[in-house]
Amino acid sequence: MYYAILTEDVENSLALRQRARPAHLARLQTLADAGRLLVAGPHPALDTEEPGEAGFTGSLVIAEFDSLEDATAWADADPYVDAGVYRRVVVKPYKKVLP
């Protein structure tokens, strides 16, 4: 089943994100390589794909896991969590309907 991992960043998280980004992307690539990643990306702080110094306000990952517990454990082990990027992480079951 798919699970949505919705996160909210701490204020001024850009420098924290930049330091942890390579490890964060490597974990996502592992999911993608296994065919389990539906979508992943950050929420820009401004209405543009490149928000510059404004940075990001959070992220969304939708990926396939065996259970809510597995999805939560995966989210809890994210390098952004260890780096202090996120102030809140919510994991929910997700049902893909379209396309």
Side-chain angles (χ1 to χ4, degrees):
M1 177 168 198
Y2 283 114
Y3 293 87
I5 302 168
L6 303 131
T7 66
E8 292 178 15
D9 283 18
V10 297
E11 293 292 321
N12 302 312
S13 64
L14 186 58
L16 298 171
R17 276 180 168 271
Q18 290 170 332
R19 283 193 292 274
R21 189 169 191 259
H24 172 76
L25 291 179
R27 287 183 84 235
L28 290 170
Q29 189 61 55
T30 299
L31 285 178
D33 291 347
R36 296 172 45 204
L37 184 64
L38 183 63
V39 67
H43 302 287
L46 303 175
D47 190 12
T48 178
E49 288 189 25
E50 298 298 330
E53 291 299 313
F56 302 91
T57 62
S59 297
L60 169 66
V61 173
I62 301 176
E64 191 172 14
F65 294 93
D66 290 334
S67 67
L68 179 59
E69 292 78 18
D70 288 349
T72 300
W74 188 91
D76 289 345
D78 193 299
Y80 279 178
V81 171
D82 292 339
V85 172
Y86 298 145
R87 77 169 147 207
R88 183 171 182 228
V89 177
V90 175
V91 181
K92 300 178 175 188
Y94 175 80
K95 180 181 175 184
K96 183 178 183 242
V97 175
L98 292 171

